[in-house]
Amino acid sequence: MSSSLSIRKVAVLGAGTMGNGIAEVFAIAGYEVRLMDISDEILRNALNRIRDSLERLSKRGELKESVDTILSRITTTTNIATAVEGIDFLVEAVPENAELKKNIFREADKYAPSHAIFASNTSTIPITELSETTSRRDKFIGLHFMNPPPLMKLVEITRGKYTSDETVNITVQLTRFLNKEPVVVNKDVPGFIVNRVLFRVMLEACREVTQEGVKIIDLDAMARNVLGLPMGPFELLDYIGLDTSLFIVKAMTERGFRAHPCPLLEDLVNKGKLGVKSGEGFYKYPGPGQYVKPKVLPDQGLDLDPVKLMAPAINELAWLVREGVASVEDIDKSVRLGLNYPWGLSDLADEIGIDNVVSALQYLKNVSNWDEYEPDPLLTEYVKSGKLGRKSGAGFRNYPEVEVRKYDEILLRIDPPAAWIVFNKPDKLNVLTPRMADEIVNALRAVEDDSRVKVVVITGNGRTFCAGADINQFQNASPIQMFKAMRHYHSMTLEIEYYTKPVIAAINGYALGGGLEIAMACDIRIASEDALVGQPEINLGIIPGAGGTQRLTRLTNPGISKELILTGKQVSARKALEYGIVNKVTPNYALEFEVRRWIKELASKPPLTLMLAKYAVNYGFESPIWSSLNNEAALFGVAISTKDSQEGVRAFLEKRKPKFVGE
Ligand code: NAD
């Protein structure tokens, strides 16, 4: 059989939306293309569209040859025998109808040379089934371009049951010659990679709207503002076309993709609201075909849960990998290039934490009763073997840069751009001791000059942040001993406040007494939903001694502070948010991801200026306004003297992202 190097002549059957784009891509790459459709008029229109598209590319300087030279490689015909005569490769792009496609392949098989490879651009019809209509099952393959083919880099290459390795290799090479990025789908599964991932996200978005009353625009806002996706799921459905989307998801489900339908989608299609193309779908547009991006505010959707939305897609990643359908790398490539996600699914999974993904799926399964949300065995296997994602140094990927240093009572995990100080006595509720306080200070100092570390996080191992001071130390202690012990804790909390980098408390459970006192010394506090906070010292006949009486009052007000301290009661994370004790509350499984989002955000800022801003706030809060304003002015002067401030101003004027170096 020929290698891709010897492929010269190509037939493209069907000159519609995809066919003319595919013909254009082959012609640009130097192949001789025979484009076939059912009428000369359609073919003329197709050539006009190809010319327009080539002229646009030419204006942008993206073509090495003239438009006419490239166009001269495309000839058209309405006759299938002529179309496939002497070809080396065939791409079928006729409408998504199995019988129609089978007939075309049967015919083409009669007239095409026996060495020619046949490829179908189908989105939903099994490649194997199509190949069975030909005498060249081993030379039959799926070649799924994204729309529009000249602009979208990704091509999914799907093996049918009989496809030979040689056919796969040649097609992969050929795709590279076309200047596209191939991914190999090793099993003929419905939806290949991109549509399987896409519809996991879509269907969960739809469930949240129908079952939980989430607003469509808020969910899209979250997808854009929190996850950084170019379009929210509903906006994208409108863009693709609701009838097309419904057709694809139905076809996939019929072929065994386990999913529940989206009633919203069916309802709109029944009403003739098909998205952008009809002028209305989930959103209203100025007119048919007139796409306008739905407006969202920068802080819109921030209360919604990104982990819940994406966990089903990560479950799909696990399924695809476990079933041997595709490699992690190819799945990541598919979502980056096929869906324009700014990250790979494996990166996302490892940042959320595989254990958290499993918890999110279990939660989803409980609330929805949907079997498809059962965590994939690959995920549970990873959790059992300690592959928890970034935090454990391995998940879907390996993170050799993550380093753990063990102290007696804490761990220091360096996971650039952050360092995590983890209270590590989960069986003792991570109780605070003078030794632990010393270790916190030592860990802070250990990474103070480490330029990889831009942010420090303090959190607890297990289900507790820190449940307070070890009360053994209070027994039979003299007043002077206790005075000194409290001073010891004070110097630790002051060290956090004076620290030259931002410190985040990730409150993953009880933060009581000394635990809350440490958290309150941090710059930002993020709590999981089941966290409880309080100053229960009163019940032991003592008062908070590691700053609780002062910092709680400063964070809230004397009334709330006394309410908590005099009663010793514990309050929920939500109440703590209302009181101003914490900045944000997330579901337990989403805490790690939320903290990583803050880390990324803070790590993108100029480090020295972060320090100055933190000092201006902390110092100012403790001082009369004359003194604190004077301090603010002085720190402003220091900030303006940094290289980063020059860079910040320059980048702003040049409308680009600044690159801060910490000088
Ligand atoms: P389309 O309707 O725009 O084009 C199909 C073309 O095939 C039409 O021009 C039609 O006249 C022609 N045709 C019909 N019968 C024919 C025949 N017997 N011989 C030759 N030509 C014939 O459809 P499309 O959107 O280009 O989709 C084509 C294929 O690509 C489908 O299998 C679809 O699932 C797949 N696909 C579409 C997209 C997309 O976004 N449109 C993306 C990926 C894959």
Side-chain angles (χ1 to χ4, degrees):
M1 191 157 85
S2 55
S3 79
S4 68
L5 286 170
S6 59
I7 289 177
R8 312 190 69 82
K9 288 191 187 164
V10 178
V12 177
L13 310 184
T17 310
M18 296 304 288
N20 72 60
I22 294 168
E24 177 183 340
V25 166
F26 273 97
I28 292 173
Y31 295 90
E32 209 177 292
V33 182
R34 211 83 54 71
L35 181 59
M36 186 227 163
D37 208 298
I38 48 176
S39 83
D40 288 327
E41 195 193 340
I42 295 177
L43 287 165
R44 259 196 312 278
N45 287 339
L47 285 180
N48 285 338
R49 282 208 299 267
I50 296 174
R51 179 179 284 280
D52 288 349
S53 166
L54 287 171
E55 273 165 3
R56 276 196 300 276
L57 292 176
S58 178
K59 268 195 202 122
R60 295 211 300 258
E62 287 176 26
L63 298 180
K64 292 198 187 94
E65 299 173 295
S66 74
V67 170
D68 285 334
T69 307
I70 294 169
L71 266 178
S72 72
R73 295 198 190 102
I74 305 178
T75 52
T76 59
T77 176
T78 53
N79 180 308
I80 193 151
T82 316
V84 302
E85 190 194 338
I87 58 159
D88 308 300
F89 200 90
L90 176 155
V91 187
E92 167 277 315
V94 302
E96 191 73 346
N97 173 323
E99 281 320 302
L100 174 67
K101 285 186 194 281
K102 284 180 188 173
N103 283 336
I104 297 238
F105 279 119
R106 237 179 249 122
E107 284 295 294
D109 192 44
K110 283 191 211 153
Y111 305 109
S114 61
H115 75 273
I117 293 176
F118 281 12
S120 173
N121 189 47
T122 178
S123 305
T124 60
I125 303 164
I127 301 302
T128 305
E129 202 178 305
L130 295 175
S131 76
E132 283 168 351
T133 59
T134 71
S135 61
R136 61 187 84 217
R137 299 173 178 191
D138 60 323
K139 298 191 200 82
F140 199 106
I141 198 158
L143 190 64
H144 192 230
F145 285 84
M146 309 286 126
N147 188 16
L151 300 184
M152 296 292 286
K153 278 270 174 205
L154 186 77
V155 179
E156 289 172 301
I157 296 180
T158 303
R159 261 178 209 274
K161 195 163 133 196
Y162 316 102
T163 314
S164 69
D165 288 346
E166 198 186 3
T167 301
V168 174
N169 293 339
I170 291 173
T171 310
V172 166
Q173 271 186 48
L174 173 70
T175 320
R176 294 215 174 98
F177 284 139
L178 298 177
N179 199 17
K180 298 288 165 200
E181 287 286 343
V183 289
V184 177
V185 186
N186 283 310
K187 286 187 187 167
D188 190 4
V189 296
F192 312 132
I193 300 170
V194 171
N195 278 334
R196 292 185 78 95
V197 171
L198 177 67
F199 282 101
R200 286 290 173 222
V201 180
M202 303 284 199
L203 293 171
E204 170 54 20
C206 188
R207 190 199 64 78
E208 289 180 26
V209 171
T210 47
Q211 294 186 1
E212 294 176 10
V214 170
K215 276 197 186 151
I216 286 173
I217 183 75
D218 288 347
L219 197 128
D220 276 359
M222 185 273 279
R224 284 159 60 183
N225 288 336
V226 178
L227 290 165
L229 304 188
M231 285 185 180
F234 296 102
E235 179 190 356
L236 183 55
L237 281 168
D238 268 3
Y239 195 81
I240 296 172
L242 303 190
D243 49 345
T244 310
S245 303
L246 185 62
F247 178 88
I248 294 177
V249 74
K250 271 192 172 163
M252 285 168 60
T253 316
E254 275 162 21
R255 284 185 55 205
F257 177 73
R258 280 203 301 172
H260 282 71
C262 171
L264 297 172
L265 196 55
E266 310 217 7
D267 196 41
L268 288 169
V269 172
N270 287 340
K271 290 182 183 143
K273 296 181 179 173
L274 307 182
V276 176
K277 62 179 156 194
S278 74
E280 186 175 352
F282 290 105
Y283 298 97
K284 267 204 162 130
Y285 302 91
Q290 292 176 22
Y291 168 69
V292 176
K293 199 162 186 60
K295 275 208 177 70
V296 300
L297 297 169
D299 61 349
Q300 200 169 344
L302 297 196
D303 289 339
L304 296 181
D305 175 358
V307 173
K308 199 165 70 173
L309 181 67
M310 296 308 298
I314 294 169
N315 212 27
E316 193 60 48
L317 159 76
W319 186 88
L320 287 164
V321 172
R322 185 174 52 79
E323 289 284 327
V325 176
S327 66
V328 171
E329 290 69 28
D330 273 0
I331 298 166
D332 281 350
K333 200 195 228 184
S334 301
V335 303
R336 281 178 185 278
L337 300 179
L339 299 172
N340 290 324
Y341 284 8
W343 28 255
L345 268 185
S346 73
D347 307 314
L348 182 74
D350 287 349
E351 288 203 355
I352 293 171
I354 308 293
D355 47 344
N356 293 318
V357 173
V358 169
S359 304
L361 287 165
Q362 282 161 341
Y363 167 81
L364 278 174
K365 192 174 173 219
N366 277 340
V367 293
S368 67
N369 245 330
W370 289 2
D371 280 351
E372 60 266 35
Y373 286 165
E374 178 71 31
D376 189 87
L378 184 72
L379 296 177
T380 43
E381 191 48 48
Y382 276 11
V383 173
K384 257 192 229 138
S385 59
K387 281 173 85 173
L388 304 181
R390 274 203 77 99
K391 64 176 167 253
S392 67
F396 279 99
R397 294 165 168 277
N398 291 322
Y399 302 92
E401 71 275 23
V402 175
E403 173 200 337
V404 177
R405 296 183 199 164
K406 278 204 166 128
Y407 294 68
D408 284 332
E409 303 196 358
I410 65 165
L411 299 174
L412 172 62
R413 189 168 68 236
I414 299 173
D415 177 358
W420 297 63
I421 293 175
V422 185
F423 305 136
N424 192 30
K425 296 187 292 183
D427 50 331
K428 293 190 179 146
L429 301 175
N430 297 328
V431 289
L432 178 62
T433 62
R435 163 172 287 189
M436 189 188 256
D438 286 342
E439 290 185 358
I440 294 169
V441 171
N442 289 341
L444 285 169
R445 291 186 182 163
V447 291
E448 182 133 36
D449 293 326
D450 187 331
S451 61
R452 294 170 305 165
V453 175
K454 313 278 190 221
V455 181
V456 172
V457 179
I458 299 182
T459 192
N461 226 348
R463 306 222 39 191
T464 311
F465 178 75
C466 167
D470 183 353
I471 49 175
N472 287 327
Q473 63 184 301
F474 303 141
Q475 285 184 354
N476 307 319
S478 73
I480 286 300
Q481 278 170 330
M482 277 299 97
F483 178 82
K484 285 184 172 170
M486 293 310 125
R487 296 278 309 166
H488 199 90
Y489 291 142
H490 289 161
S491 64
M492 177 265 292
T493 50
L494 284 170
E495 185 95 10
I496 296 172
E497 284 178 337
Y498 264 119
Y499 198 60
T500 51
K501 307 179 187 198
V503 183
I504 299 173
I507 306 176
N508 58 309
Y510 287 114
L512 303 175
L516 181 58
E517 288 168 310
I518 294 174
M520 289 194 295
C522 296
D523 301 304
I524 302 286
R525 281 159 292 282
I526 305 169
S528 64
E529 240 157 24
D530 72 350
L532 289 171
V533 308
Q535 297 288 171
E537 290 84 351
I538 198 89
N539 299 321
L540 303 174
I542 54 177
I543 64 171
T549 62
Q550 298 311 299
R551 292 197 178 90
L552 186 56
T553 313
R554 282 162 171 74
L555 275 180
T556 60
N557 59 47
I560 292 174
S561 179
K562 278 184 272 184
E563 179 185 329
L564 292 187
I565 293 170
L566 303 192
T567 64
K569 71 181 178 188
Q570 299 174 6
V571 297
S572 67
R574 294 259 164 236
K575 199 72 185 165
L577 181 68
E578 192 185 304
Y579 284 164
I581 300 171
V582 301
N583 298 72
K584 170 106 196 195
V585 177
T586 75
N588 301 355
Y589 56 71
L591 179 66
E592 183 177 343
F593 186 64
E594 179 66 21
V595 171
R596 288 185 188 276
R597 287 202 331 109
W598 284 77
I599 291 169
K600 274 195 203 140
E601 163 107 47
L602 292 171
S604 72
K605 307 292 179 203
L608 294 177
T609 321
L610 279 178
M611 172 183 79
L612 299 175
K614 167 173 169 171
Y615 288 175
V617 172
N618 285 352
Y619 178 94
F621 212 64
E622 303 299 335
S623 319
I625 194 152
W626 274 72
S627 160
S628 53
L629 289 182
N630 203 36
N631 180 58
E632 182 185 82
L635 293 177
F636 191 98
V638 177
I640 208 81
S641 74
T642 61
K643 277 191 189 157
D644 281 347
S645 103
Q646 292 168 17
E647 163 65 7
V649 173
R650 220 179 303 125
F652 179 79
L653 295 175
E654 292 167 10
K655 297 195 170 106
R656 61 174 170 82
K657 261 200 167 163
K659 277 200 200 97
F660 295 122
V661 291
E663 288 172 22

